[in-house]
Amino acid sequence: MIFRNVPNKPLSLNLGGELVSLSRPLVMGILNVTPDSFYAGSRTPAPEQIEARVHQIVDEGADIIDIGAYSSRPQADDIAPDEEMRRLASGLEIIRKLYPQAHVSVDTFRADVASRCVREYGVQMVNDISGGELDPRMFETVADLKVPYILMHMKGTPQTMMQQTHYDHLIAEMLYYFAERIARLESLGVNDIIIDPGFGFSKTLDDNYRLMNRLDEFARMGRPLLVGISRKSMIYKLLGTSPDESLNGTSVLNTLALLGGAHILRVHDVKEAAETVKIVSKTLQSGD
């Protein structure tokens, strides 16, 4: 196993006025208030399912709850903004009733939806799979909201992304993508920018593993690095299994991501990810 020589620059996030250190990697638990996410075990469209899932995420040790209402799986159905907001509101009301102080991120590429979630429900972070490409108002909106922004790499839309997997130089093109957008966000006054390489989005199976192998190059950008590979096709297509059988593969890749410099793991299985963080952190802190 190669331990990456990633700079140990202290990083933190301002989440609703609380400065959260990233000296220990954080675990972000996925809350899908959708009927059609790729992993059936994560779908929680009904209120009682949402409540049970929120309790599970918190009890298993998540640092952040990431709520999403628009499935980003390939060929996912498009839904209207009003329907997305309706689903999010149902979940956010439950979160704020059960855990009013919880750190919450909203997974949306729509500026108006992000704004409502922050202003009406106290959401502290915006997670945009499109890197600002699907709503030209997103960067200005995040700057106005003054919340951390997760900048993900994707080409096209969830419906078309897997037809846009050609790269002349994958890593170089992605590094340029992030550098250009970070500069635009900084010019607007956005301070907390998290980069997400977008595993599975507009990338072939080989691209995903090439990206994992060179993850440290993104960690060197000096920004918090988020990795989301939980139960994705890069696992079950390689192994000839299914999302339901991909927990072990997820833990392996989460370990590699942490060794590559990841600061946040976005996962379905919080307990296992928290254990992975604890074990890897202990190993790296132990020295020779």
Side-chain angles (χ1 to χ4, degrees):
M1 172 58 65
I2 298 174
F3 290 81
R4 302 295 192 184
N5 184 24
V6 177
N8 190 24
K9 176 185 175 182
L11 295 171
S12 60
L13 293 173
N14 185 339
L15 297 177
E18 179 184 351
L19 199 61
V20 177
S21 172
L22 296 174
S23 58
R24 172 187 65 81
L26 305 183
V27 175
M28 174 183 281
I30 299 169
L31 174 62
N32 283 326
V33 288
T34 59
D36 59 345
S37 295
F38 79 91
Y39 173 42
S42 72
R43 300 171 191 165
T44 57
E48 61 274 14
Q49 294 173 307
I50 296 171
E51 183 169 336
R53 175 60 178 160
V54 171
H55 280 307
Q56 180 186 30
I57 289 172
V58 173
D59 291 345
E60 292 187 356
D63 301 285
I64 304 167
I65 301 171
D66 188 51
I67 183 170
Y70 186 111
S71 176
S72 56
R73 63 178 174 82
Q75 287 81 50
D77 292 335
D78 185 35
I79 62 168
D82 287 348
E83 174 60 16
E84 182 185 9
M85 191 63 223
R86 184 194 67 77
R87 295 177 182 178
L88 288 169
S90 67
L92 289 167
E93 287 170 4
I94 291 171
I95 293 172
R96 287 311 180 207
K97 177 183 176 181
L98 297 176
Y99 300 100
Q101 303 306 314
H103 295 140
V104 182
S105 167
V106 62
D107 181 356
T108 184
F109 57 80
R110 289 168 168 150
D112 287 345
V113 171
S115 182
R116 287 190 60 185
C117 289
V118 173
R119 298 184 190 283
E120 297 176 23
Y121 297 98
V123 166
Q124 301 110 325
M125 184 186 298
V126 174
N127 182 7
D128 178 9
I129 63 169
S130 80
E133 290 298 300
L134 296 182
D135 190 333
R137 298 170 299 160
M138 180 60 90
F139 284 7
E140 288 80 4
T141 297
V142 172
D144 184 54
L145 293 170
K146 294 180 171 56
V147 295
Y149 176 68
I150 300 172
L151 171 68
M152 199 190 84
H153 175 270
M154 178 179 71
K155 295 196 295 185
T157 69
Q159 293 76 28
T160 66
M161 63 183 179
M162 297 317 293
Q163 285 76 55
Q164 301 191 47
T165 58
H166 173 74
Y167 301 89
D168 292 323
H169 302 284
L170 173 67
I171 304 302
E173 289 176 41
M174 290 182 62
L175 290 170
Y176 177 81
Y177 171 99
F178 284 121
E180 189 272 334
R181 285 160 179 78
I182 288 171
R184 284 165 50 194
L185 286 162
E186 286 180 330
S187 73
L188 294 168
V190 180
N191 296 316
D192 285 334
I193 305 166
I194 302 101
I195 60 175
D196 176 357
F199 284 92
F201 290 82
S202 315
K203 298 169 187 72
T204 65
L205 182 70
D206 287 345
D207 287 337
N208 286 313
Y209 283 96
R210 185 175 300 111
L211 179 56
M212 181 62 73
N213 190 47
R214 297 179 64 181
L215 196 62
D216 60 311
E217 297 187 39
F218 297 89
R220 292 175 189 279
M221 296 188 76
R223 296 285 178 175
L225 175 62
L226 181 149
V227 170
I229 45 77
S230 185
R231 296 182 181 266
K232 286 188 174 179
S233 64
M234 66 181 290
I235 301 168
Y236 62 81
K237 286 185 177 179
L238 178 68
L239 301 178
T241 56
S242 68
D244 288 345
E245 301 169 282
S246 296
L247 176 55
N248 184 56
T250 296
S251 294
V252 172
L253 287 178
N254 278 336
T255 300
L256 293 175
L258 293 171
L259 295 177
H263 299 94
I264 304 172
L265 299 179
R266 182 179 182 273
V267 299
H268 299 97
D269 306 282
V270 172
K271 177 178 179 290
E272 290 79 2
E275 290 176 350
T276 301
V277 167
K278 190 171 185 178
I279 291 169
V280 172
S281 296
K282 179 65 174 177
T283 302
L284 295 178
Q285 291 165 6
S286 296
D288 295 333

